[in-house]
Amino acid sequence: MAYIYRGLNGKNMEEFIASLPEVQAEVDQRAFEIGVRAEELLLAHRVDGIAQIDIAKGDIDAYVVLSDANGTNVKSNSNSALSIEFGRQAYDVEVVDSQGKVVNEYTVGAMEGLHILEEASHLPRKNGPKAKVKKRKVKIRAGKKRGGGRG
């Protein structure tokens, strides 16, 4: 059994090594490379430019993040990145007026995931479950008529 003793300034050895400037430079470089590859993959699939790739820096780690905060998602404080990455199951939608009367019904089809972050970071693709939506009808309140497109 190996033990790692506390190093300089009360940090354990892993923390000390991870915080070295050379290591941090490599972490930042790798995150940048993955971010660029992810952005290229996303651009190949992007429909209207809402989804985006961000790079976030933690105390030691760096993160490449796929986010999709479109107009619909912002209202519910959610994000479609999970569905973009891993896919989704089909679900039914009911559009209701202000009195609760159904004015339109449609089905949102299932979607295969794009696996952008997995591919950009050279991780093995997981063919696990898709983003799950409860098998019920989603009700949307009808609003003003809008033009085509999302958002």
Side-chain angles (χ1 to χ4, degrees):
M1 164 98 26
Y3 294 97
I4 296 180
Y5 296 96
R6 296 232 171 246
L8 301 174
N9 300 327
K11 295 181 180 180
N12 65 33
M13 194 56 72
E14 290 106 342
E15 225 178 319
F16 174 73
I17 292 170
S19 63
L20 290 172
E22 299 85 358
V23 174
Q24 284 300 295
E26 185 66 21
V27 167
D28 293 343
Q29 177 65 30
R30 297 285 176 109
F32 178 76
E33 290 171 2
I34 293 169
V36 168
R37 284 193 299 267
E39 187 65 34
E40 289 173 350
L41 293 166
L42 182 61
L43 282 171
H45 294 283
R46 186 178 304 185
V47 175
D48 53 13
I50 295 171
Q52 64 185 29
I53 300 293
D54 295 317
I55 298 173
K57 181 72 173 140
D59 292 338
I60 291 179
D61 295 323
Y63 307 93
V64 179
V65 181
L66 169 64
S67 65
D68 183 37
N70 63 43
T72 304
N73 290 339
V74 170
K75 293 175 189 169
S76 63
N77 196 25
S78 61
N79 191 318
S80 297
L82 180 67
S83 294
I84 293 170
E85 185 71 11
F86 297 110
R88 67 163 183 254
Q89 298 173 333
Y91 60 96
D92 298 324
V93 176
E94 285 184 346
V95 180
V96 297
D97 63 13
S98 58
Q99 285 77 36
K101 179 182 173 194
V102 177
V103 293
N104 191 11
E105 292 183 72
Y106 59 92
T107 299
V108 175
M111 179 186 91
E112 286 295 319
L114 300 177
H115 303 276
I116 289 171
L117 296 176
E118 288 175 330
E119 193 171 326
S121 59
H122 302 299
L123 292 172
R125 184 177 282 203
K126 291 185 178 181
N127 290 323
K130 296 176 175 25
K132 293 188 179 185
V133 177
K134 289 182 181 176
K135 196 60 179 169
R136 64 176 173 80
K137 291 187 178 184
V138 176
K139 292 189 179 191
I140 299 175
R141 190 171 295 247
K144 297 177 184 176
K145 292 266 184 185
R146 298 187 312 193
R150 284 173 50 185

